[in-house]
Amino acid sequence: MAFAKMPFRVLLSAAKLLFILHHWALPSLIFTSLSVSALNVQILAPGFVNTPMPSTITLCGPAFATGTEYLNSVYNPTLNFTYFYVYDLSYGNCSSFTDETLHMVSQWMYQVRDPNSLTVIVSPSCTYEPYLSQIAAQWNILLITSTQSDITIRDKHLAPTWVSTNIYPAQHYGDAMLNLIQANNWTSVYVVEEDGPLQFYGLVGPPVKRTFEANGVQLVYLKYDGRKVPLNFTTLLIEFNARSRVMFFFGPAESLRILLIQAYSRKMTTSEYVYVAAISFIYKRYGVFTWNKGDKDDLIVRMAYRSVLLFTAIDLSQDRSANLTSFTARWRDLYLSDPFYRNQNLRDDPPTPFLAATEAGLEMLGQVLDEAITGVSSIDIWDGADLASAFWGRTFNTTTGRVSLDKYGDRLPFTSMSYYDGTQFVVFARSRFDSGSFQWENIRAVDWHGSPNFPPNEPYCGYGGDHLRCTEKDESERRTTEIAAVSVAAVAVCVIILAACLTYHRWHHNRGLHTQWFVLDPAFLGKKTKSRRSDSLSSLNSAARPFDNTFIP
């Protein structure tokens, strides 16, 4: 055999070669094969950078870093994730950047995108999501928004590839406020919106107005420019007092403070009035709803806050699954180490809800892609609409908490309503969804100026005290009072007349005795005279008896 005739050294060399191939070359070949077959996922992150808004890709950027790091550690070597920021430093505000979003995204898609990689758009904000959804639909790629949503997401003809992990209740602002007024039988309300630097209030006011009008709620809707200083709410309060006792005030904490001080001076912060304020979430840049400012008006504002309800759009304290301690520390480290995030001095607190929503969106993407690759699901990951459908109506467990999406792919939020107990705001209701419909779930009784109930939107006697039910009652009471008064007066007159007659009779009788004393009644005179004479004689005889023997006539 040829093999047997081979020299021993040759055989030994062949054995060594086989050993090397078995232990080193084969695994390398296998790894190379797996690396070639790994799916590359390009995450396109368009966003705004120049203003330190919580939803910019600068302040939300650390979540892209930690999210892709987590995905690569869990799903490599079958999945490989990279992310790309798309921004333009020449735009000074969010609105101007929004107008250019489609151009920048399209340019990236044509010039940078790898056609052999799976592209997904993940964006915080300042991109005007309906526009971004249009371009995602045209390219048929998945779009995940982490801080904003829009009612367009419910129209799958216009937004077939759109999924939102936005924790804002963007689709439920109107429903949340409508549920509140219906639960308290408020039929007429006053809605005030401040047009100012905080975009949040411009997103809340319009859907609330539409929902109220669609459900027959009588309302006055006033929008004012909050950039004018100082604010004077005198005219507003006068009109409010004539229209309702329930005001929805969509403005920042400082504007509410000014309103309450002026309302207090008009005695309009009693138990009869309700001011429903709103905040996105507790964040220093948004202002803090507190009476304690350290000025002369603190005591007034503290008392006035007893008439305030506070709607919190994002209340992570109601999410028992959230665990963000370790992530917050990591995000802070990234701020300190990377100048791109423009927060190395930690001037701005981490916008935790937005960071968590971005992290969750990336982790949910990894779960859906892994299910498709491993055969757990049969979706076509290259079809953006089919890929998006894998998110609808599902609950995902992520490292930042549990995320539930409705049938449109929009996130169900954690929202709360609080009252002020004299010291702090206390949550008495939180959001609950029945069949996708927003409802308030009461978790404790309310203490409204010592009462367990909120006041009606209209006082019993009307806003001016001239309601028909009170005027009729007053008229009836007035007539009853008049009748009673007339009756009492008549009785009094009769008593007076009777008393006068008796007095006159006695006076006339007594006067007659004194003025005609010589006119005597003969019968009376005769009787009295006889009697008196007999008595006199009897007395005389009795007195003369001792002298009977000595007296000689």
Side-chain angles (χ1 to χ4, degrees):
M1 296 177 58
F3 182 79
K5 294 181 179 179
M6 293 179 65
F8 178 77
R9 290 182 178 179
V10 175
L11 292 175
L12 182 60
S13 298
K16 288 182 177 180
L17 180 60
L18 288 173
F19 179 84
I20 293 172
L21 289 172
H22 181 269
H23 288 279
W24 299 101
L26 186 59
S28 298
L29 289 172
I30 294 174
F31 180 80
T32 301
S33 176
L34 288 175
S35 297
V36 170
S37 62
L39 174 65
N40 290 315
V41 182
Q42 293 183 320
I43 298 173
L44 173 59
F48 188 60
V49 296
N50 285 340
T51 303
M53 295 170 53
S55 57
T56 57
I57 59 173
T58 45
L59 286 180
C60 287
F64 284 97
T66 58
T68 53
E69 179 183 316
Y70 172 84
L71 293 176
N72 286 326
S73 67
V74 172
Y75 299 110
N76 267 345
T78 56
L79 291 170
N80 181 55
F81 295 86
T82 54
Y83 64 95
F84 303 85
Y85 293 130
V86 176
Y87 59 94
D88 192 328
L89 294 174
S90 63
Y91 296 105
N93 57 68
C94 182
S95 299
S96 60
F97 176 80
T98 297
D99 296 336
E100 295 298 320
T101 300
L102 298 184
H103 171 72
M104 288 187 295
V105 171
S106 298
Q107 187 177 31
W108 187 93
M109 293 291 289
Y110 280 111
Q111 297 179 358
V112 182
R113 180 194 184 199
D114 178 8
N116 296 317
S117 299
L118 178 67
T119 300
V120 176
I121 300 177
V122 180
S123 176
S125 184
C126 266
T127 52
Y128 190 56
E129 285 68 23
Y131 287 174
L132 195 58
S133 175
Q134 290 178 17
I135 193 170
Q138 291 173 359
W139 284 90
N140 195 24
I141 58 178
L142 176 66
L143 166 66
I144 300 176
T145 56
S146 59
T147 67
Q148 293 294 332
S149 187
D150 186 85
I151 197 171
T152 309
I153 198 173
R154 299 184 179 185
D155 188 341
K156 292 308 173 185
H157 294 288
L158 297 176
T161 68
W162 188 3
V163 171
S164 177
T165 59
N166 160 50
I167 201 166
Y168 273 137
Q171 307 309 312
H172 308 286
Y173 290 134
D175 296 333
M177 301 308 174
L178 181 65
N179 267 257
L180 177 66
I181 67 173
Q182 288 178 338
N184 292 281
N185 296 317
W186 294 333
T187 56
S188 62
V189 296
Y190 202 93
V191 182
V192 179
E193 176 195 336
E194 177 175 302
D195 181 14
L198 293 181
Q199 186 182 12
F200 169 70
Y201 298 108
L203 299 174
V204 177
V208 170
K209 180 176 182 289
R210 289 194 301 267
T211 303
F212 283 2
E213 290 176 339
N215 288 272
V217 179
Q218 299 178 27
L219 77 154
V220 174
Y221 192 90
L222 175 65
K223 185 175 182 178
Y224 70 91
D225 188 353
R227 298 176 180 86
K228 294 181 179 179
V229 179
L231 296 176
N232 192 330
F233 294 109
T234 300
T235 303
L236 181 152
L237 287 170
I238 292 174
E239 185 178 8
F240 166 54
N241 196 53
R243 299 294 187 92
S244 183
R245 291 295 183 268
V246 180
M247 178 188 292
F248 288 85
F249 183 79
F250 300 130
E254 184 58 30
S255 298
L256 177 66
R257 182 183 183 89
I258 297 172
L259 173 70
L260 292 177
I261 292 172
Q262 296 181 17
Y264 180 86
S265 67
R266 305 184 68 86
K267 295 182 173 56
M268 293 175 60
T269 56
T270 63
S271 61
E272 184 180 340
Y273 295 85
V274 180
Y275 300 88
V276 184
I279 187 174
S280 53
F281 60 94
I282 298 176
Y283 193 63
K284 182 172 61 176
R285 185 170 289 275
Y286 290 160
V288 181
F289 284 79
T290 178
W291 59 270
N292 191 5
K293 189 180 178 181
D295 62 19
K296 61 182 179 59
D297 296 317
D298 278 355
L299 183 58
I300 290 175
V301 178
R302 184 176 185 178
M303 291 186 290
Y305 257 44
R306 292 300 302 269
S307 297
V308 174
L309 295 181
L310 184 61
F311 169 76
T312 305
I314 304 174
D315 189 352
L316 292 182
S317 68
Q318 305 304 311
D319 181 9
R320 298 181 179 88
S321 68
N323 183 16
L324 302 173
T325 304
S326 60
F327 273 100
T328 302
R330 177 79 174 104
W331 293 330
R332 284 183 178 274
D333 290 341
L334 289 170
Y335 285 136
L336 292 171
S337 61
D338 193 335
F340 171 77
Y341 303 128
R342 294 162 171 75
N343 196 28
Q344 287 185 289
N345 58 0
L346 296 181
R347 182 190 63 180
D348 295 301
D349 295 332
T352 303
F354 295 167
L355 288 159
T358 302
E359 176 81 26
L362 294 173
E363 293 186 22
M364 292 160 59
L365 171 64
Q367 292 181 36
V368 170
L369 292 178
D370 182 64
E371 291 170 357
I373 290 175
T374 58
V376 175
S377 67
S378 59
I379 61 171
D380 180 2
I381 61 174
W382 300 99
D383 181 347
D386 198 28
L387 182 58
S389 67
F391 291 81
W392 302 345
R394 285 185 59 179
T395 295
F396 295 83
N397 291 316
T398 75
T399 54
T400 59
R402 187 176 298 109
V403 178
S404 296
L405 303 183
D406 62 18
K407 62 182 179 180
Y408 305 106
D410 198 18
R411 184 174 183 174
L412 302 180
F414 295 96
T415 296
S416 70
M417 189 72 72
S418 309
Y419 72 91
Y420 196 75
D421 68 352
T423 303
Q424 61 184 350
F425 279 102
V426 179
V427 175
F428 69 91
R430 62 189 175 198
S431 57
R432 177 172 56 86
F433 291 87
D434 291 333
S435 302
S437 176
F438 185 98
Q439 299 290 329
W440 284 112
E441 176 186 9
N442 292 323
I443 58 178
R444 62 173 48 87
V446 71
D447 179 8
W448 189 255
H449 295 266
S451 171
N453 301 309
F454 296 118
N457 63 270
E458 181 179 0
Y460 182 79
C461 291
Y463 303 118
D466 55 357
H467 196 282
L468 186 61
R469 57 176 168 256
C470 285
T471 56
E472 289 181 344
K473 179 181 178 181
D474 291 343
E475 181 67 19
S476 177
E477 290 178 350
R478 185 182 65 80
R479 290 177 180 175
T480 302
T481 302
E482 289 177 351
I483 293 173
V486 170
S487 300
V488 170
V491 171
V493 169
C494 292
V495 170
I496 292 172
I497 294 174
L498 180 60
C501 291
L502 292 174
T503 302
Y504 176 78
H505 179 74
R506 290 186 62 186
W507 174 81
H508 186 271
H509 176 72
N510 292 335
R511 183 173 181 274
L513 291 177
H514 289 288
T515 56
Q516 300 184 23
W517 54 270
F518 51 87
V519 179
L520 300 177
D521 186 350
F524 176 79
L525 182 61
K527 183 179 179 180
K528 292 292 183 180
T529 302
K530 182 179 180 180
S531 175
R532 289 179 178 176
R533 187 176 182 182
S534 299
D535 293 341
S536 300
L537 290 175
S538 298
S539 301
L540 183 60
N541 291 336
S542 299
R545 283 175 187 173
F547 304 99
D548 284 347
N549 296 329
T550 60
F551 179 72
I552 298 175

